[in-house]
Amino acid sequence: MEEVHLQTAPADFRFPSTNQTRHCFTRYIEFHRCLAAKGEESGDCEKFAKYYRSLCPVEWIEKWNEQRENGTFPGPL
Amino acid sequence: MIESQRHSFHLVDPSPWPISGSLGALATTVGGVMYMHPFQGGATLLSLGIIFILYTMFVWWRDVIRESTLEGHHTKVVQLGPRYGSIPFIVSEVMFLFALFRASSHSSLAPTVEIGGIWPPKGIGVLDPREIPFLNTPILPSSGAAVTWAHHAILAGKEKRAVYALVATVLLALVSTGFQGMEYYQAPSTISDSIYGSTFSLATGFHGFHVIIGTLFSIICGIRQYLGHLTKEHHVGFEAAAWYWHFVDVVRLFLFVSIYWWGGI
């Protein structure tokens, strides 16, 4: 059997408490800001993508993606 | 009369105003609840209740003026009651406004992800604090200075000057209220615009309500001073009005710094 490599987002000292909502939101925004700054093709943004996908509930990600498409996303992208 | 009693306290005559005030309060609260839920007649009951309360205030305080200034029941010890009683009242008002400030801080210091984790929320039109708010902010303290001027005039026995000072107090207050009305009228966001609008409107709105009450109180003091009710040793009503006015003043300063200035950047 091959070793399955399990990984999640690293503990971030900016978000020390149990409620990691803000951590998830910040990583989501960091990913999109990274895309805006470095471009879609660059591979630097992948790590942010992995982090937010580990942390955030899928429903939130879908809602935020929809908001971004409509232009109603409230965060500072 | 007061000479026939062998103590310096005031035993009041029976009065219908406490019960009428209570009935007015009952009508206001029940009417208010009815109005906010789909019941018939809520608005009518609410307005009747408010009118009744205002009427009770008018006639009750008129009776206090009659008993004190005209009938002489307010000896030095009786005066201590309203004087020191105004202080807990003002403290209770401070607590009320503190709650509204707390609501504003709660929402603005750690904005939720639903509004994007930023304050002010995206898309909310914020008033430039350097425009009307900054103009209004020195007007109220000047009004406070005018009321202090009036107080010194009363203490010095300069009755006419006191009337002028109170007129200045009221005029400045009215100007400030007028500017505030203008500001609300042309503000880019309203009370229904996100939690920002709610907290902003409640804090500034209730402060404005207190300004209007304080202005009314000062107008009454001005009228009483004009009619010669206030003497240099005995002017408890005026002192209560002045304290209340200074409190409104201080709240305005906190409001400006925390909600207009800090909350807008």
Side-chain angles (χ1 to χ4, degrees):
Chain A
M1 243 327 257
E2 242 184 68
E3 271 291 319
V4 179
H5 189 56
L6 297 169
Q7 204 182 24
T8 184
D12 190 337
F13 68 89
R14 293 177 296 175
F15 311 103
S17 43
T18 309
N19 187 333
Q20 293 282 290
T21 305
R22 233 170 255 290
H23 188 182
C24 138
F25 189 67
T26 306
R27 292 299 191 197
Y28 182 81
I29 292 207
E30 277 176 349
F31 173 64
H32 287 98
R33 276 186 170 173
C34 172
L35 283 185
K38 302 235 170 115
E40 301 263 336
E41 320 300 306
S42 142
D44 301 332
C45 305
E46 264 316 297
K47 68 169 193 274
F48 293 125
K50 278 165 64 175
Y51 295 161
Y52 87 73
R53 283 172 202 151
S54 314
L55 289 165
C56 305
V58 171
E59 294 87 7
W60 295 9
I61 299 178
E62 285 170 356
K63 184 178 77 189
W64 292 336
N65 286 341
E66 204 182 299
Q67 283 180 333
R68 275 191 309 113
E69 271 153 42
N70 294 341
T72 56
F73 183 71
L77 281 176
Chain B
M1 262 305 301
I2 191 154
E3 298 85 24
S4 58
Q5 63 185 48
R6 294 184 335 162
H7 59 80
S8 42
F9 299 99
H10 183 197
L11 298 169
V12 292
D13 293 328
S15 160
W17 312 133
I19 189 77
S20 82
S22 313
L23 289 172
L26 178 66
T28 307
T29 45
V30 172
V33 170
M34 279 171 73
Y35 177 67
M36 289 188 262
H37 291 266
F39 286 107
Q40 291 278 24
T44 320
L45 192 56
L46 175 63
S47 355
L48 269 175
I50 293 179
I51 291 175
F52 217 61
I53 291 181
L54 290 171
Y55 174 68
T56 305
M57 288 179 182
F58 175 73
V59 288
W60 192 333
W61 282 322
R62 183 187 61 181
D63 274 358
V64 173
I65 295 179
R66 285 175 174 171
E67 289 158 9
S68 59
T69 308
L70 305 179
E71 292 178 14
H73 284 288
H74 281 203
T75 60
K76 274 286 173 206
V77 290
V78 174
Q79 285 173 48
L80 292 177
R83 255 176 128 232
Y84 296 152
S86 313
I87 297 180
F89 172 65
I90 294 180
V91 170
S92 79
E93 299 266 75
V94 168
M95 295 200 277
F96 174 67
L97 282 166
F98 179 79
L100 297 176
F101 273 98
R102 166 72 76 98
S104 189
S105 317
H106 175 95
S107 309
S108 59
L109 284 166
T112 63
V113 301
E114 281 82 358
I115 52 170
I118 49 172
W119 191 270
K122 188 168 168 191
I124 297 288
V126 162
L127 290 163
D128 186 346
R130 292 164 302 186
E131 293 182 0
I132 295 191
F134 190 60
L135 172 60
N136 248 350
T137 303
I139 296 186
L140 274 178
S142 316
S143 190
V147 90
T148 308
W149 171 29
H151 194 191
H152 284 274
I154 292 179
L155 290 170
K158 303 258 192 272
E159 315 219 324
K160 225 164 159 207
R161 206 179 287 185
V163 176
Y164 294 149
L166 279 166
V167 165
T169 308
V170 168
L171 279 176
L172 282 165
L174 290 172
V175 162
S176 147
T177 306
F179 277 138
Q180 190 68 35
M182 260 169 59
E183 178 195 284
Y184 275 177
Y185 186 66
Q186 48 94 341
S189 54
T190 73
I191 191 171
S192 14
D193 286 323
S194 149
I195 188 68
Y196 178 88
S198 303
T199 53
F200 177 87
S201 300
L202 250 69
T204 59
F206 268 113
H207 175 258
F209 181 58
H210 285 67
V211 168
I212 293 175
I213 293 183
T215 310
L216 219 55
F217 203 167
S218 305
I219 292 178
I220 307 255
C221 283
I223 296 177
R224 291 187 70 202
Q225 171 62 14
Y226 181 73
L227 295 172
H229 289 191
L230 310 176
T231 73
K232 62 168 109 145
E233 278 102 28
H234 188 171
H235 46 264
V236 175
F238 174 81
E239 281 171 324
W243 289 343
Y244 193 80
W245 197 236
H246 289 311
F247 138 73
V248 157
D249 213 343
V250 167
V251 168
R252 169 73 204 188
L253 289 170
F254 277 115
L255 205 64
F256 179 69
V257 170
S258 62
I259 293 188
Y260 281 103
W261 188 359
W262 179 88
I265 50 178

